[in-house]
Amino acid sequence: DADVTQTPRNRITKTGKRIMLECSQTKGHDRMYWYRQDPGLGLRLIYYSFDVKDINKGEISDGYSVSRQAQAKFSLSLESAIPNQTALYFCATSDRTSGRRRETQYFGPGTRLLVL
Amino acid sequence: RKEVEQDPGPFNVPEGATVAFNCTYSNSASQSFFWYRQDCRKEPKLLMSVYSSGNEDGRFTAQLNRASQYISLLIRDSKLSDSATYLCVVSNGGAGNMLTFGGGTRLMVKP
């Protein structure tokens, strides 16, 4: 079984709709992240969480919100979807105990979102 | 200017060729460096960390030049299965140790 899972894997929605993307992990990591990827722009950080009570905005948080329901679950919501939120969304986890030089991130399989 | 810059490619090489990618980063305080590999429509996966003294993992060699703020990845004896996008990733080393991703370099290995 995959260590980091995302649901749904693909989603088509209409402008103005509220949608939620979910992420679960079995790695036991304390840190979780949401990114979006657009062609040519690389991955950009939307929100991150270092534990259940810690939520932080990333580079491009406008139009998004998150919820850390448990250590293993981190959800991303688009309150009112718009077409320029069409992108590939990735959840990732990392383990702070691995030390700064070793701390890397493990990604889920991604959610492909199309906003019409 | 982007914090981490890469030539997007594509680099088209024949099987067996040696190919090198470079990446430059703008934050001189960056602490950790990585190369990730991303297959089409898949998630990024860690290929290797990059250490100051340079490091090798099989056919892959990574180098770091802190003075010039660039990172390189060398792939020897290219295989068809090496075809992918290679992401240069830099960590700020701060309390959050956040990662900044380059836009990626696409490699296509041809028979």
Side-chain angles (χ1 to χ4, degrees):
Chain A
D1 288 339
D3 294 321
V4 185
T5 58
Q6 292 183 233
T7 57
R9 294 294 311 279
N10 296 279
R11 179 74 183 268
I12 300 174
T13 192
K14 294 182 178 179
T15 297
K17 294 291 187 181
R18 181 181 189 275
I19 66 164
M20 179 182 289
L21 310 183
E22 301 194 11
C23 175
S24 295
Q25 54 116 345
T26 58
K27 300 184 77 69
H29 289 171
D30 50 343
R31 298 181 169 186
M32 298 186 74
Y33 311 80
W34 274 104
Y35 294 89
R36 66 176 279 175
Q37 186 174 34
D38 299 276
L41 293 180
L43 280 84
R44 291 182 293 166
L45 184 64
I46 305 171
Y47 269 96
Y48 62 101
S49 168
F50 286 167
D51 65 42
V52 174
K53 297 179 181 179
D54 177 78
I55 302 289
N56 304 281
K57 292 182 177 181
E59 179 187 354
I60 51 164
S61 58
D62 288 349
Y64 301 95
S65 62
V66 291
S67 173
R68 185 85 183 262
Q69 302 95 320
Q71 188 191 36
K73 295 183 182 296
F74 193 35
S75 301
L76 175 72
S77 293
L78 284 68
E79 299 302 325
S80 179
I82 56 177
N84 77 1
Q85 290 178 313
T86 292
L88 182 55
Y89 289 84
F90 287 107
C91 173
T93 73
S94 68
D95 178 11
R96 65 177 171 81
T97 63
S98 60
R100 286 183 182 180
R101 290 190 178 275
R102 297 291 182 268
E103 184 176 346
T104 188
Q105 294 180 14
Y106 300 86
F107 288 81
T111 294
R112 195 167 294 276
L113 176 66
L114 173 61
V115 183
L116 300 175
Chain B
R1 181 186 173 190
K2 291 181 182 177
E3 287 191 51
V4 180
E5 295 210 52
Q6 297 181 248
D7 181 341
F11 285 58
N12 294 296
V13 302
E15 269 188 293
T18 295
V19 62
F21 309 136
N22 289 329
C23 158
T24 58
Y25 61 95
S26 60
N27 184 354
S28 59
S30 297
Q31 295 289 320
S32 302
F33 309 89
F34 309 91
W35 283 101
Y36 276 69
R37 170 192 169 128
Q38 185 174 25
D39 292 299
C40 188
R41 296 175 177 265
K42 297 288 184 67
E43 72 272 24
K45 293 184 178 180
L46 179 66
L47 177 66
M48 59 196 301
S49 300
V50 186
Y51 304 128
S52 297
S53 55
N55 49 296
E56 189 174 303
D57 182 0
R59 297 182 292 109
F60 299 84
T61 300
Q63 297 279 353
L64 169 65
N65 185 320
R66 284 187 183 271
S68 301
Q69 295 181 205
Y70 83 77
I71 308 151
S72 65
L73 177 68
L74 182 77
I75 305 175
R76 291 182 300 278
D77 189 23
S78 298
K79 311 292 184 191
L80 295 176
S81 57
D82 293 334
S83 297
T85 296
Y86 291 83
L87 306 176
C88 177
V89 183
V90 173
S91 166
N92 65 9
N97 206 35
M98 306 310 292
L99 299 184
T100 301
F101 290 78
T105 297
R106 189 173 175 205
L107 171 65
M108 298 180 69
V109 182
K110 309 275 188 181

